[in-house]
Amino acid sequence: MKIFGTFGLKRLGAIALAAAILGAPVMMAHPALAQDASSASSVAASSAPAAAAPAAAPAAASNDAVVTYPKDAVNSGDDAWMLTSSVLVLMMTIPGLALFYAGMVRKKNILATLAQSFGATALITVLWMVIGYSIAFTGHDPYIGDFKYFLLAPLNGDINIANTDLAPTIPESVYMFFQMTFAIITPALIAGALADRMKYSAFLLFMGAWLLLVYCPIAHWVWSAKGFLGTGGSIGALDYAGGTVVHLNAGTAGLVAALMLGKRKGLGTENFAPHNLAYSVIGASLLWVGWFGFNAGSAVEAHDGQAGMAAAATQIATAAAALAWMFVEWIVSKKPSVLGMISGAVAGLVAITPASGFVNPTGALAIGVAAGVVCYLSAVHLKKLIGYDDALDCWGVHGIGGALGAILTGVFASSKINSAGKGWLYDGNFHQVIAQFEDVGIVFVYCLVMTFIILGVLKLTIGIRVSEEVEQEGLDINLHGEVVHG
Amino acid sequence: MKIFGTFGLKRLGAIALAAAILGAPVMMAHPALAQDASSASSVAASSAPAAAAPAAAPAAASNDAVVTYPKDAVNSGDDAWMLTSSVLVLMMTIPGLALFYAGMVRKKNILATLAQSFGATALITVLWMVIGYSIAFTGHDPYIGDFKYFLLAPLNGDINIANTDLAPTIPESVYMFFQMTFAIITPALIAGALADRMKYSAFLLFMGAWLLLVYCPIAHWVWSAKGFLGTGGSIGALDYAGGTVVHLNAGTAGLVAALMLGKRKGLGTENFAPHNLAYSVIGASLLWVGWFGFNAGSAVEAHDGQAGMAAAATQIATAAAALAWMFVEWIVSKKPSVLGMISGAVAGLVAITPASGFVNPTGALAIGVAAGVVCYLSAVHLKKLIGYDDALDCWGVHGIGGALGAILTGVFASSKINSAGKGWLYDGNFHQVIAQFEDVGIVFVYCLVMTFIILGVLKLTIGIRVSEEVEQEGLDINLHGEVVHG
Amino acid sequence: MKIFGTFGLKRLGAIALAAAILGAPVMMAHPALAQDASSASSVAASSAPAAAAPAAAPAAASNDAVVTYPKDAVNSGDDAWMLTSSVLVLMMTIPGLALFYAGMVRKKNILATLAQSFGATALITVLWMVIGYSIAFTGHDPYIGDFKYFLLAPLNGDINIANTDLAPTIPESVYMFFQMTFAIITPALIAGALADRMKYSAFLLFMGAWLLLVYCPIAHWVWSAKGFLGTGGSIGALDYAGGTVVHLNAGTAGLVAALMLGKRKGLGTENFAPHNLAYSVIGASLLWVGWFGFNAGSAVEAHDGQAGMAAAATQIATAAAALAWMFVEWIVSKKPSVLGMISGAVAGLVAITPASGFVNPTGALAIGVAAGVVCYLSAVHLKKLIGYDDALDCWGVHGIGGALGAILTGVFASSKINSAGKGWLYDGNFHQVIAQFEDVGIVFVYCLVMTFIILGVLKLTIGIRVSEEVEQEGLDINLHGEVVHG
Amino acid sequence: MKLIIAIVKPFKLDDVREALVGAGVEGLTVSEVKGYGRQKGQTEIYRGAEYQVVFVPKVKLEAVVDDAAVGKAVEAVKAAAATGKIGDGKIFVVNVEEAIRIRTGETGSAAL
Amino acid sequence: MKLIIAIVKPFKLDDVREALVGAGVEGLTVSEVKGYGRQKGQTEIYRGAEYQVVFVPKVKLEAVVDDAAVGKAVEAVKAAAATGKIGDGKIFVVNVEEAIRIRTGETGSAAL
Amino acid sequence: MKLIIAIVKPFKLDDVREALVGAGVEGLTVSEVKGYGRQKGQTEIYRGAEYQVVFVPKVKLEAVVDDAAVGKAVEAVKAAAATGKIGDGKIFVVNVEEAIRIRTGETGSAAL
Ligand SMILES: Nc1ncnc2c1ncn2[C@@H]1O[C@H](COP(=O)(O)OP(=O)(O)O)[C@@H](O)[C@H]1O
Ligand SMILES: Nc1ncnc2c1ncn2[C@@H]1O[C@H](COP(=O)(O)OP(=O)(O)O)[C@@H](O)[C@H]1O
Ligand SMILES: Nc1ncnc2c1ncn2[C@@H]1O[C@H](COP(=O)(O)OP(=O)(O)O)[C@@H](O)[C@H]1O
């Protein structure tokens, strides 16, 4: 079997890592266990019949008051929207992201690029169900979730329970699924940095390890009820839909991966022009369309104006960024490229992600323009200057755009839009900007170190890069035994 | 006009068949008429003003109790989800299935393959509106629906009536539309077996006849209020979203069609490699995305945890099957092909379809793994062994996968997930497994016989296969006068 | 910078026009101001706490009674459906329309065609946010909206306000977004008429000017609370989802643009066969799928049978039109082309648009058949006869289809489906047919004149057509610096 | 040495290749081409406009063979490519002055 | 017999074909090729990286004609393909020793 | 004048072009072709069916050069295209009787 190299020693290393992937949560169990008493009781509370629960449908909540819903009180409209949002976010990865990336590579690597998004989707789904959701979104420990949801066990007994901390008005199955789609796209984004040269076996192991060792902890820190980085924790950073958790995180991992893999053979001398940008336009469009599940879905309900305002902010920032990138490029390079327009749109989507539930339309416009200009500079000029080979600009767009958006969230957040978010400009709360910087810094450093370790282990054991010949001939035929004839 | 052959006799046969398609319901009217008294009264009841109907919005239903809604009490969240679901299932056929299949054929047949999905969508929509819905989803006869909904007449008078038996909280227009999208994709799936060689005129007649003579009766048997195969009938089989009604049914028809059409010219000697698997990846991704309308939509509501749990089960099984197929192929053939991954995903979607509303996450995982392995063996090895030319594996994936899923539903159904489904493993109800086998057997045999008759009549009259020259030159230019230049 | 021509004079003209685009609303301010008193008070009313507002969730409304919702009473199901609808309509433009058109051009113009849809989406989003929504959908003046919503200012203060006139049960952010997606696709449709030969700078300026000077006023006339053409105004025309506002409007503009640009070089002598109809099939399929957001979304709620019936009518008419075009072509040209099927589907979607909320299933079927036949004749035969070069049949399908649908709405509207629409056939109200003709005439003439003026100014200043060499070599490499290699 | 150029119907490619190999030819090079001749192309129709496709898809095989092998090779192509229908294609023979195998530097017949 | 090889601009293909037919040529074969010469290719830009496309799309026509017809055919191509701008292309003439029509077995001029 | 036909591995295209230009060749024409020879193609697998891809992707360069320049040009191609592995390709030399530059009407060496 070719999957795990050929030497006993290397195989050993790989098996160790595979074990680590599945074992990671076990290792994390110790600190988590300390929290068990409290979190267990909260789960118990949520599954106990809510005595005084009103039988009527929930009244529309004002966006200030925290409404407690009884366990069976699924709000059908909230449920409908969150199911739809989950499906939209899944569509962002397959086929959205898959096509966005596949259109930019050379013909011989199209299928391998599609296989990365598709394979990651399958693998992460299973890992998420086994343990990912449990360590990311349950419990009240500030650093890591607990183990109660191993194999999603609590859902076996009652389909109507809710994650009362985070999503009280929808079934927990839906919230778990919604968050799963985030967990899928985040590692999948990294593929943009390692295009055209990574072994598929190493890629899958990397995806799995990174999910459990990097994504899950960070998601817990920022989004769980008492996570230390988020609004329920000591730092109090705002990240509506994942500017740091998703985009800065994936971007940073991409940067590390690009550096550790090295440049693609022929870069600078051969023609690396995208084979079929039509695919990339389809992909970018589906990313845009699906992103409403991402941002407006992060309201986790549809019974007040939160989701709608997040949707409006998303649309405005995205369009502004697409125009900004296009016009800057038009002026600098004399032509508005299609790749520029769609990259600008993605940059806008990325930057508005952390801000979407906190800013008003004008704030969204400003963030969009900033994202278009800054990401253009980073993806086109900074990369050239420094010289790493972030093939499809995972760092340049997601890393830079995510950090930019996170910081600007501190600037533009308005408590009139969301009482949980008081920003600098409208509410005079400069402290929020500092919290955002802390969030960015911590996520960046943690991700950098951990990604380096994971890829380092893989490099020393099974190797992460294909042979020169395989790279030359193309990944499609060599890794997957297929080619695109069209 | 070339549509209907050239000989008077053949033309006659074709006209007879066309007449049969539209006449079929009329012929069925006799037994149905016997049921008119009772079904008429039930319709009357559903349109009569429900006297004691509470004016308030419906309370969230526990998943055990059967709640009766007054006729006007559309639950807006349920309605939103079912509209969305219908749209998602439509997207599965166009462009999902169309691309999935079109990517696997040779360049000269791409448009003809797309035309099959698109044309079937249009044709079946009209037939469904004329009579299909009426004979499938109305009335209380165990064997066939009645005629009250010819041209959907009852909807002309009141847009707020509901199908109180099957979908009490949404308008009947939505339920009719939702079921229409199922009726569209089922025959369209058969196209996978007859790729590259069927006449388009024969294809359309086949689609129409099969819809009315095979799909509608079986849908009635399994899903209508008192259908003899389903939970309201004597056999009591479980089929949440169509493991037998949709997939085994289409797969069996595909097997018959593949055998009656014969092998493609050049099979085994010429290169039949898929022209553009990128299209197939887009198609498979949209199938995956749209399938949440299929399975979670089959809850026909969003006011409790049913839809959410079906969605979670679907996602888990699909991912598990994709991984299973991928790893088995990786071990056997040394390379994980992209076609394998996406085929595995589709196999998982198929197999979880009948089970999705009855199993817990672990059950879904088990069904997914089984589907990936079994469908790999059937599509890749069984086919080789036996030697029929099921071009794109309609039988190997949908037939086998549908039957497998139906049977495993009996094994893994848990009454804690759905009180209507007590299975073997969790509830000790072995009887359910037997019921599932009966369901599979009856659907298989009925479909086999009827499909053979329909295609037999077509073969003897207008012919079902294109000439050798047309097959050689390609269907696109010959049947549709167009080619893909790209 | 190449964007704005090379002569000072021309540049001046362009700047003047750009100024006009942004200044247009200012010029319109005068008449609007007269209405300020009344409209201001209405806005005030809508944001004032509705004293007697019941706290409970809204009861399902019968489709006759007009229900007044309190400002905070977002109906979560309505909200979910309208968010979904907005996303679906966005998907119609990108990637739907983009692909539909891109598949029909020659290889050298694929990216430029995609860039038109994508760039228009970005540009119009920003203009709509700045002022478009304000002048189209606010205020009670019959001719033009007011300025209160400049930069969407009212949304800065409260995310839960609603447009009480037009969408009382959802947040105004959602309604603004939903209407934005209509404002995006309408100008984008025009691109079909000017394919293969328009300068990109001129295209963008045209899009912006046309949005503000043509689309916004007409949308206000037909759809705002007291617009003179619509049901709240003196003419009283019915246009459920935009037969005149969207399709006749875009079609007419396309006709003018085709005439003013002149024919493509080589038409009639060179092979203009579509490069890749597979793209067009994907595009048409996504248009079909997304159109449920368009038509069923135009119910602006999901708490009764309106949206569902509109969805059913849409599906039936579309399928009927696809079949009608296919069979007519099959008889006339001996082959059923794939381009014919998908064009028929689009024709059906267009024609049912104004009628979708007013007709019963049988009415929808009739409108579909009419659309398929009439648009086939206009796109294929009328165009040949008259000889304008409406490259991708913007006028032939959208113009003719929109007008046809608008008129047939007057014929088939049934008050049993929607009490607001009494038509000729079912309600004996011939007056409605006349109102429809008036609507068609006024929209046609206004659009014709204004489009002529806008394009005239552009032609005299920066020019609207690329050089012959650029046209010959392809727009992709010349305008955008990229090509499709695939 | 001679260069044999054969223009044949695409679906005959494998047959012709096998026939040439059978006739002792050890290497050849193939291009996809479009042919114009007595055989007429098909008609594409797009929204009423008919496009006569004047060119027909063909494949061109090029094989350089030893002078002595020319007769046998030509016969092999003829036999394998013929269907008897219009459009079967042509064979042209052109003189080749030198042949070199890049890998080894061999020249002449040894290079083939 | 001579093989006339003409490398011309793609959009001139139809003109050149018609001119050749007008000059009595009854068959020809066309390939899509990329040319390198005085005419420079265009520049593609992707995220700041410029790719000088050194090759320019061209079409290659190959027609075997009777010795007597060569002059007329060459003139026809020259006239039809010329735009006067750099990159118009070349015509090469190569000797052909034998021609065979596969369908009939005819050889020499009769095979053309 | 001679027509140099070189069939080489696709990724060597740019090297070979540069080498030829270095050897004084001012123009050339390239086609994508499929080669059959000692080098075996790879295997594609689709749902269990294996397709031996008998043809290997190659590029064909054609350059017409002055008689005097033939040696240098052939050497240039040989040096640039060689990897030492099977499948490096071939060079064939064919006599050309006439060359014409369409733009100017120049003939012979002046046309190259
Ligand atoms: N004089 C010619 N020079 C080059 N190629 C030719 C010539 N004549 C025919 N061909 C090629 O041979 C193919 C077949 O020729 P055609 O005249 O159609 O039929 P047949 O081979 O039966 O005579 C053409 O499509 C063309 O590619
Ligand atoms: N020596 C040559 N051998 C083969 N092909 C050539 C040669 N010189 C030019 N060509 C072909 O002719 C085309 C046109 O040549 P170029 O030098 O660009 O312009 P012009 O034809 O005006 O001299 C080139 O793109 C190339 O395909
Ligand atoms: N006799 C020949 N005639 C034409 N082309 C040939 C001939 N022999 C080889 N070729 C071409 O040269 C390529 C390389 O040849 P091959 O035998 O694989 O390896 P090598 O060049 O190392 O001898 C082939 O793929 C084919 O395109």
Side-chain angles (χ1 to χ4, degrees), chain B residues 272-274 343 380 384 392-393, chain F residues 42 44-48 51 53:
Chain B
F272 276 66
S343 303
V380 172
K384 236 180 177 168
L392 315 178
D393 295 304
Chain F
Q42 281 190 282
E44 292 182 38
I45 307 175
Y46 291 102
R47 289 220 180 119
Y51 299 102
V53 184

Side-chain angles (χ1 to χ4, degrees), chain B residues 197-199 202 257 260-261 455 458-459 462-466:
Chain B
R197 57 203 191 285
M198 193 162 186
K199 289 171 74 170
M260 292 185 72
L261 277 167
L455 284 175
L458 283 169
K459 201 168 176 173
I462 60 166
I464 56 180
R465 187 160 175 163
V466 296

Side-chain angles (χ1 to χ4, degrees), chain A residues 322-405:
Chain A
L323 291 180
W325 187 310
M326 180 179 88
F327 282 121
V328 177
E329 198 189 33
W330 205 334
I331 291 166
V332 175
S333 306
K334 305 286 179 276
K335 278 176 187 164
S337 74
V338 172
L339 183 58
M341 292 175 209
I342 62 178
S343 303
V346 172
L349 289 162
V350 167
I352 197 64
T353 293
S356 50
F358 299 113
V359 299
N360 61 33
T362 312
L365 192 70
I367 290 176
V369 172
V373 175
V374 170
C375 290
Y376 167 75
L377 293 175
S378 74
V380 173
H381 298 282
L382 183 74
K383 182 166 79 163
K384 234 179 178 168
L385 223 74
I386 306 193
Y388 53 90
D389 184 17
D390 178 10
L392 315 178
D393 295 304
C394 171
W395 166 250
V397 172
H398 295 276
I400 299 281
L404 178 74

Side-chain angles (χ1 to χ4, degrees), chain B residues 159-448:
Chain B
I159 62 171
N160 293 319
I161 57 166
N163 186 322
T164 43
D165 288 327
L166 305 170
T169 64
I170 57 170
E172 186 154 18
S173 55
V174 175
Y175 186 64
M176 182 281 300
F177 178 33
F178 178 65
Q179 288 299 348
M180 181 193 279
T181 59
F182 279 59
I184 288 168
I185 199 169
T186 308
L189 285 170
I190 307 173
L194 39 80
D196 292 359
R197 57 203 191 285
M198 193 162 186
K199 289 171 74 170
Y200 196 61
S201 54
F203 172 80
L204 289 179
L205 286 169
F206 175 44
M207 288 288 110
W210 195 88
L211 173 79
L212 297 176
L213 302 178
V214 184
Y215 181 78
C216 288
I218 292 180
H220 189 84
W221 300 346
V222 179
W223 285 333
S224 74
K226 308 256 180 242
F228 81 101
L229 277 176
T231 45
S234 51
I235 305 255
L238 301 171
D239 188 355
Y240 199 70
T244 54
V245 181
V246 173
H247 296 287
L248 172 61
N249 204 359
T252 305
L255 182 62
V256 175
L259 290 168
M260 292 185 72
L261 277 167
K263 293 190 184 190
R264 287 166 291 170
K265 275 229 31 113
L267 187 68
T269 60
E270 282 175 39
N271 190 337
F272 276 66
H275 181 65
N276 189 348
L277 280 177
Y279 289 165
S280 295
V281 174
I282 308 178
S285 300
L286 293 180
L287 282 169
W288 188 337
V289 166
W291 219 289
F292 294 98
F294 211 85
N295 287 1
S298 288
V300 200
E301 46 84 5
H303 57 253
D304 60 24
Q306 285 279 349
M309 186 51 97
T314 301
Q315 176 72 11
I316 291 164
T318 306
L323 292 180
W325 186 310
M326 181 179 88
F327 282 121
V328 178
E329 198 188 33
W330 206 334
I331 292 166
V332 175
S333 305
K334 306 284 177 278
K335 277 176 188 167
S337 74
V338 172
L339 183 58
M341 291 176 212
I342 61 178
S343 303
V346 173
L349 289 161
V350 167
I352 198 64
T353 293
S356 50
F358 298 113
V359 298
N360 62 33
T362 312
L365 192 69
I367 290 176
V369 172
V373 175
V374 171
C375 290
Y376 166 75
L377 294 175
S378 74
V380 172
H381 298 282
L382 182 74
K383 183 167 78 165
K384 236 180 177 168
L385 223 75
I386 307 194
Y388 52 89
D389 185 16
D390 178 10
L392 315 178
D393 295 304
C394 172
W395 167 250
V397 172
H398 295 276
I400 299 282
L404 178 74
I407 292 159
L408 293 181
T409 301
V411 176
F412 289 104
S414 157
S415 60
K416 289 207 180 126
I417 299 300
N418 191 322
S419 60
K422 294 197 205 316
W424 186 21
L425 199 65
Y426 294 105
D427 301 299
N429 177 21
F430 184 71
H431 179 79
Q432 191 62 51
V433 179
I434 296 169
Q436 299 304 104
F437 269 103
E438 289 173 340
D439 184 16
V440 166
I442 291 169
V443 168
F444 179 73
V445 171
Y446 179 79
C447 174
L448 196 91

